[in-house]
Amino acid sequence: MSLTEFQSIRDFFSKQSMQRTDVELGIGDDCALLSVPENKVLAISVDVLVKGVHFPEQTSAEDIGYKSLAVSLSDLAAMGAEPAWFTLAITSPYMDEDWLNKFCQGLFGLANRYNVQLIGGDTTTGPLVVTIQVGGYVAKNHALRRGGAKAGDLVYVTGTIGEAGLGLKILQGNLQLPDQYIHLSEKLIERLNRPIPRVEIGKALLGTATAAIDVSDGVAADLNHILEMSHVGARLEVGKLPVSECFPEIFEQAGGWEQALAAGDDYELLFTAPEGSEGDLQQIAEEYNCNITCIGQIEEQLGLRCYSGTNILTLQSMGYEHFRES
Ligand code: ADP
Ligand code: MG
């Protein structure tokens, strides 16, 4: 059954159980009212997800709900901020009850895991677009920023890289995994539809990492953002990239190192830390049960240099960019 704007708000969007005490007023008035903890600053970010651009047409309602929030939480993670609340602007051709039910399951399932509260939004008719703005808190002058990398720092990445991109290729029918890896298909597609925002690790990196970003556009493009903001360069050793176990076997078909460096949507954290941080990082990796891999080093010479052993690689693409003709 299709619902009206106000029915959707009343029966679905305002149904999340209260997760927090710092929300003075949630959904229902002209604005939400929030109290900000003392000595903290508010970290805010917004992301727009457009059907067919940010998620394939056939993506389930539950995965759309999950992913829309996950990518925004990932931005807070990359600043080391503690997530607190979010707003939801949803545009859809119609508000199907069954679709909304599943969308909210995905959305609130993730929201409740991180105690973030939906505090308001907007509901309109049009092609399917989901916009989520998140807010969180981080100690004054402590946030992980893109501009803090120093020559000599090591470059690290959490988890694995390029798996969401492989998942997308499988969904598009552009990649056939060999028989011995066929069991990985589901996991790779899940990496695309259900990215894990590295919120706890982001917070744990405060005080250790000198710069950080989440990998949404690909390692090469996102590392470049750090390099530009920090006025430094880097050398990256592609052989060290933590790729999927099936990657060596499908290397050519999957697009070689280019794919590992340019594939987006992994939402891992890419960060720099001074030499001597290895012990701290090892401890964080163990505590949160997530690999942290050193993939390169910051240098004074500007630009990104990718090495495969002693060979320097020339990249055709630096990752996805809207409005660029490919
Ligand atoms: P206004 O016209 O004043 O902008 P609306 O009628 O759009 O208010 O919304 C009524 C209330 O419902 C507001 O508190 C708004 O924040 C909330 N709301 C509307 N759409 C959503 C949504 N998709 N998710 C959460 N809250 C929503
Ligand atoms: Mg409105």
Side-chain angles (χ1 to χ4, degrees):
M1 197 180 79
S2 186
L3 303 182
T4 66
E5 175 187 351
F6 293 121
Q7 285 169 334
S8 314
I9 299 169
R10 186 193 61 207
D11 296 346
F12 288 95
F13 301 131
S14 61
K15 286 292 188 217
Q16 187 192 9
S17 55
M18 188 49 82
Q19 305 292 311
R20 311 186 60 85
T21 54
D22 54 3
V23 176
E24 309 271 332
L25 184 65
I27 293 173
D29 215 310
D30 292 311
C31 289
L33 300 173
L34 308 162
S35 48
V36 180
E38 249 178 273
N39 301 321
K40 299 264 172 105
V41 290
L42 188 54
I44 292 195
S45 174
V46 66
D47 275 299
V48 181
L49 274 78
V50 180
K51 177 175 163 175
V53 179
H54 298 91
F55 51 86
E57 304 266 337
Q58 70 268 38
T59 309
S60 74
E62 198 170 342
D63 286 343
I64 295 171
Y66 175 100
K67 187 171 179 177
S68 309
L69 180 58
V71 303
S72 289
L73 291 178
S74 176
D75 283 320
L76 289 176
M79 301 295 284
E82 160 99 31
W85 49 259
F86 66 107
T87 59
L88 165 70
I90 182 164
T91 303
S92 181
Y94 45 83
M95 285 291 160
D96 177 77
E97 208 174 332
D98 186 46
W99 189 93
L100 272 177
N101 203 7
K102 294 190 170 116
F103 175 84
C104 285
Q105 268 174 29
L107 181 75
F108 292 146
L110 181 63
N112 294 350
R113 198 179 310 160
Y114 289 99
N115 298 318
V116 288
Q117 189 71 40
L118 178 57
I119 54 157
D122 206 13
T123 307
T124 57
T125 327
L128 184 60
V129 179
V130 180
T131 302
I132 286 189
Q133 180 183 48
V134 284
Y137 307 118
V138 60
K140 236 182 176 127
N141 301 320
H142 275 69
L144 303 174
R145 297 173 57 165
R146 296 180 179 183
K150 300 267 180 306
D153 285 355
L154 296 170
V155 180
Y156 292 92
V157 70
T158 61
T160 47
I161 281 304
E163 291 195 326
L166 294 179
L168 181 61
K169 278 194 158 71
I170 293 171
L171 279 183
Q172 291 171 332
N174 292 331
L175 176 65
Q176 179 67 45
L177 291 184
D179 283 350
Q180 75 267 36
Y181 291 119
I182 210 84
H183 63 283
L184 291 179
S185 291
E186 212 173 309
K187 179 190 158 199
L188 295 173
I189 292 169
E190 183 158 315
R191 283 299 311 268
L192 177 73
N193 289 332
R194 299 229 152 203
I196 299 169
R198 300 293 188 189
V199 171
E200 297 87 354
I201 297 181
K203 285 194 292 176
L205 288 174
L206 289 171
T208 301
T210 47
I213 191 169
D214 63 322
V215 182
S216 54
D217 298 332
V219 166
D222 288 319
L223 181 53
N224 246 319
H225 293 316
I226 288 186
L227 301 182
E228 281 173 7
M229 299 283 275
S230 302
H231 311 290
V232 291
R235 64 175 292 138
L236 208 147
E237 182 49 63
V238 291
K240 290 185 178 169
L241 285 171
V243 291
S244 168
E245 58 182 292
C246 67
F247 192 65
E249 201 72 33
I250 56 167
F251 187 80
E252 293 298 336
Q253 194 197 354
W257 290 124
E258 194 97 358
Q259 124 78 21
L261 289 164
D265 258 7
D266 283 314
Y267 297 99
E268 296 292 353
L269 294 184
L270 178 67
F271 63 94
T272 57
E275 282 181 299
S277 309
E278 294 80 6
D280 289 351
L281 295 176
Q282 187 57 35
Q283 221 171 353
I284 293 172
E286 277 164 27
E287 181 161 0
Y288 299 106
N289 193 25
C290 173
N291 294 336
I292 294 180
T293 312
C294 180
I295 58 171
Q297 189 160 29
I298 299 295
E299 298 174 331
E300 263 170 40
Q301 187 193 345
L302 299 183
L304 174 60
R305 291 161 291 282
C306 297
Y307 288 88
S308 172
T310 52
N311 291 336
I312 189 151
L313 303 178
T314 321
L315 298 179
Q316 300 299 320
S317 149
M318 267 296 182
Y320 186 76
E321 193 176 355
H322 292 270
F323 304 113
R324 196 179 52 197
E325 293 167 30
S326 56

